[in-house]
Amino acid sequence: MTRLSIETTELTKVYGTGEAAVHALRSVALQIQRGEFVAVMGPSGSGKSTLMNIIGCLDRPTSGSYVLDGEDVSQLSKDMLADVRNRQIGFVFQSYNLLPRMSAAKNVMLPLLYSRNGHLSDRECYERAIAVLESVGLGDRVHHRPSELSGGQQQRVAIARALANYPSIILADEPTGNLDSASGEEIMELLGQLHKQGTTIVMVTHDFKSAEHAERIIHLLDGRIVSDELNGAESVREKSR
């Protein structure tokens, strides 16, 4: 089986038509190996969010291909994309997106209950939620609601929720954006631990300190990859255009 987790070829995304067309991505070619930790950086409007939406199977490209773990998912239907997301991808967002009236455990259970592969009983879902909360250091906070948790703890709950279906890829969109520096560093250390355990992580960030935790840093500008560098090493690929 291929070691590539993510491969895009001539990936293009255009919104609108004619003179109003916006080229969000322009012929993006990208390869990410299984188990890599990659940071994606660039100014607003560079195409970061569009690329993450396509990688996360939330959107489809206008043209080009996207192969995820050996499967071309470029033109799958919305229902089929949803199934791929449930099986293979965990999302971590800047704003946590936790349901305020639910405990940490119930928030983590949600993707298990909604999964199309729902072969787990409610009890098994609960036990898995407790296990992943314990794995992110929140074994003593499983019954707390979001309002009873610090920002860093809420983000840990969000990461636990992303891990609930044992995804092969974690997509993190500005995971430290709402946190103070100490809490942000704790979250980055947690993502680093997940990476060491073999999880593929793709993270969008504006924070250079957070990006230092990644193995590679990819810079986007005007919908193109302009650099792709090993972190702390010489450039492995330059695509300046």
Side-chain angles (χ1 to χ4, degrees), residues 172-236:
D173 189 356
E174 298 285 359
T176 64
N178 285 343
L179 301 175
D180 59 52
S181 58
S183 298
E185 185 63 22
E186 289 178 359
I187 293 302
M188 291 313 305
E189 289 176 359
L190 176 56
L191 290 176
Q193 292 169 12
L194 294 173
H195 163 235
K196 289 178 182 178
Q197 294 167 11
T199 303
T200 305
I201 299 175
V202 183
M203 175 182 68
V204 164
T205 184
H206 285 96
D207 182 17
F208 284 95
K209 189 172 182 180
S210 295
E212 289 175 356
H213 290 262
E215 293 177 300
R216 285 166 62 192
I217 300 178
I218 294 171
H219 285 270
L220 290 178
L221 182 66
D222 297 332
R224 301 182 188 274
I225 294 177
V226 293
S227 69
D228 184 346
E229 302 176 348
L230 288 175
N231 197 8
E234 294 183 0
S235 174
V236 293

Side-chain angles (χ1 to χ4, degrees), residues 86 99 102 109-118 125 165:
N86 287 334
L99 296 183
M102 287 190 171
M109 287 174 64
L110 286 175
L112 297 171
L113 297 173
Y114 291 150
S115 174
R116 293 172 182 271
N117 302 320
C125 288
N165 272 326

Side-chain angles (χ1 to χ4, degrees), residues 78-127:
K78 289 183 178 180
D79 286 346
M80 294 175 74
L81 285 175
D83 185 52
V84 171
R85 286 197 304 273
N86 287 334
R87 287 187 286 107
Q88 296 181 250
I89 301 170
F91 294 90
V92 179
F93 302 99
Q94 176 178 343
S95 57
Y96 321 138
N97 291 349
L98 302 178
L99 296 183
R101 296 186 179 183
M102 287 190 171
S103 67
K106 288 184 177 179
N107 267 284
V108 173
M109 287 174 64
L110 286 175
L112 297 171
L113 297 173
Y114 291 150
S115 174
R116 293 172 182 271
N117 302 320
H119 56 279
L120 298 176
S121 68
D122 287 352
R123 183 66 189 177
E124 289 170 323
C125 288
Y126 177 76
E127 290 175 349

Side-chain angles (χ1 to χ4, degrees), residues 16-27:
T17 58
E19 294 183 359
V22 175
H23 293 261
L25 293 177
R26 300 171 183 266
S27 301

Side-chain angles (χ1 to χ4, degrees), residues 52 56-58 85 89-93 158 161-162 169-172:
M52 287 290 275
C57 295
L58 295 167
R85 286 197 304 273
I89 301 170
F91 294 90
V92 179
F93 302 99
R161 181 183 56 196
I169 298 170
I170 293 288
L171 297 184

